[in-house]
Amino acid sequence: MNKLNQREVQNLGFLLNFPFHWTGMQRRTSKRVWETRYVVKKMRIPEATVMRLAVYSRLLENLQKRDIVTTSSGDIAEGAGVSPAQVRKDLAYFGEFGTRGVGYNVEELCGHVRRILGLNQKWPSVLVGAGKLGSALALYEGFNIRGFHIVGVFDVDPNPIGNRFGSIKVLPMEHLERVIKKENVRIGIITVPAVAAQEVGERLVKAGVKAILNFSPHVINLPADIIVRNVDFSLHLEVLAFNLTFELTECEDVGV
Amino acid sequence: MNKLNQREVQNLGFLLNFPFHWTGMQRRTSKRVWETRYVVKKMRIPEATVMRLAVYSRLLENLQKRDIVTTSSGDIAEGAGVSPAQVRKDLAYFGEFGTRGVGYNVEELCGHVRRILGLNQKWPSVLVGAGKLGSALALYEGFNIRGFHIVGVFDVDPNPIGNRFGSIKVLPMEHLERVIKKENVRIGIITVPAVAAQEVGERLVKAGVKAILNFSPHVINLPADIIVRNVDFSLHLEVLAFNLTFELTECEDVGV
DNA sequence: TAGATTGTTAATCGATTAACAATC
DNA sequence: TAGATTGTTAATCGATTAACAATC
């Protein structure tokens, strides 16, 4: 590999269009000659940062609707319930979007955040499991608004087959692979009972799905390159219940 | 306050039944006399730990169903997709539940985890917003199974009023406060559109609700002692979308 | 005792925050 | 220039992990 200097490494990062950091390492090539190699590392973005960015994007959309032109890290922080430093840090992973002394242009920043999150494109998705929850999700407008179009709903049970959700109808599992290929689906949503979740997950991955939103209470084991999010509702209720019981025995610093 | 020694402070923590740590602080009371005060502090449990405990409880219930008597941190870790050290650490916040050299008794540990999470009691809850999502949630058995009983469904819209979900029917908002008081409800679930979320949240809190599961895409601002979890689905889809786009530009450490 | 597994410590890793220089 | 707000650094805070003594 060629030797690059700091400036060239930075430019490389910019060209490749990803958040990065570089480190210089000195190495002795002969008794008196030291060589400095620069290494570009892709920066790991904390998951919490991504979640917050999704919240910021909502706030920015609201500001846009209300025709507000300029905002600040303080405003955003207040709306999202975090600190202004946090907001600036989150954004700093991806670039410089503001003007010192002035703030951020709402429309511009909104566009940047949406681009970062990948919301400037359509995400065709499939949903497996047309039970109560699956049906509600298939009809949920919230997904469409943000670019997540459910292009196929599937079920093993012959009962719901043929039911319509808007323009799409429930299909038997045999068609799963065909639809995924045809529509270039990369996101799968699982709303089947716990026992079937693992099997469905594996089948989705085999058919080409790269990311899975798992609503079933079963944790799925899939290859490391597949992105899985477990979003079982009762998990959240349990965290609430824990906090409620735990608060009861709460005890401020007790000097004794 | 009385002066206690280390041992007494530890006992106090055990008596009050919470995870704690203590620290000794020395203070000069007169020119030559130093006094040591011990301070009990409630241990902060990481939210990630609570989420994982909820996952462990599901795995343990599965093992119980399959009549498996003994398990290990390794087994649990594999099922939950975390490290064995993580499992042991998570449990260690709350006590010693295993036997060295042997492992954990499934039934026993399951009981402990359920008690820690507060699942050994009933949690009457109300749901505001009887739209598509609200209806699906009202019918979702997953909640009942884990002790979360929806005792009231409410809506401002007169259309769904009177609809039945199992044994309960949709009531107008006027009855909200009455039901919350009568059933001693401490958990509220919000499935109203974004614009109404803040108002509904405030009304729930005023009526006595202590914890809120917010499915609307709007972040609610409530008093600090109220526990709020925002669980907008598309938030999760956006994290998936980010990871999918981000992966595309992924780049291993590049030596240059 | 040998093998296994827990509970706990210290080291490591990573995220948040306070503070401030840079800038409008 | 004075006031305001960003972008970035270093310090702090907190969570995870590797390793091992304790124990069956």
Side-chain angles (χ1 to χ4, degrees), chain A residues 72-103:
Chain A
S72 67
S73 58
D75 292 345
I76 301 172
E78 206 189 335
V82 299
S83 72
Q86 181 83 80
V87 173
R88 295 202 296 277
K89 180 76 176 171
D90 286 339
L91 294 173
Y93 283 111
F94 301 96
E96 305 190 2
F97 307 121
T99 310
R100 294 170 191 223
V102 178

Side-chain angles (χ1 to χ4, degrees), chain A residues 10 13 35-36 49 75 81 113 123 150 192 202 205 236:
Chain A
Q10 292 211 347
E35 184 194 77
T36 308
T49 289
D75 292 345
V113 174
W123 292 99
I150 294 176
V192 299
E202 285 169 15
V205 169
H236 292 282

Side-chain angles (χ1 to χ4, degrees), chain A residues 78-143:
Chain A
E78 206 189 335
V82 299
S83 72
Q86 181 83 80
V87 173
R88 295 202 296 277
K89 180 76 176 171
D90 286 339
L91 294 173
Y93 283 111
F94 301 96
E96 305 190 2
F97 307 121
T99 310
R100 294 170 191 223
V102 178
Y104 302 93
N105 177 288
V106 171
E107 197 182 329
E108 222 176 279
L109 184 58
C110 189
H112 280 302
V113 174
R114 289 182 60 87
R115 180 181 51 75
I116 291 165
L117 290 173
L119 299 181
N120 52 347
Q121 50 185 294
K122 301 273 171 251
W123 292 99
S125 318
V126 292
L127 194 154
V128 184
K132 282 161 203 156
L133 182 58
S135 311
L137 292 180
L139 287 164
Y140 186 56
E141 292 94 352
F143 289 153

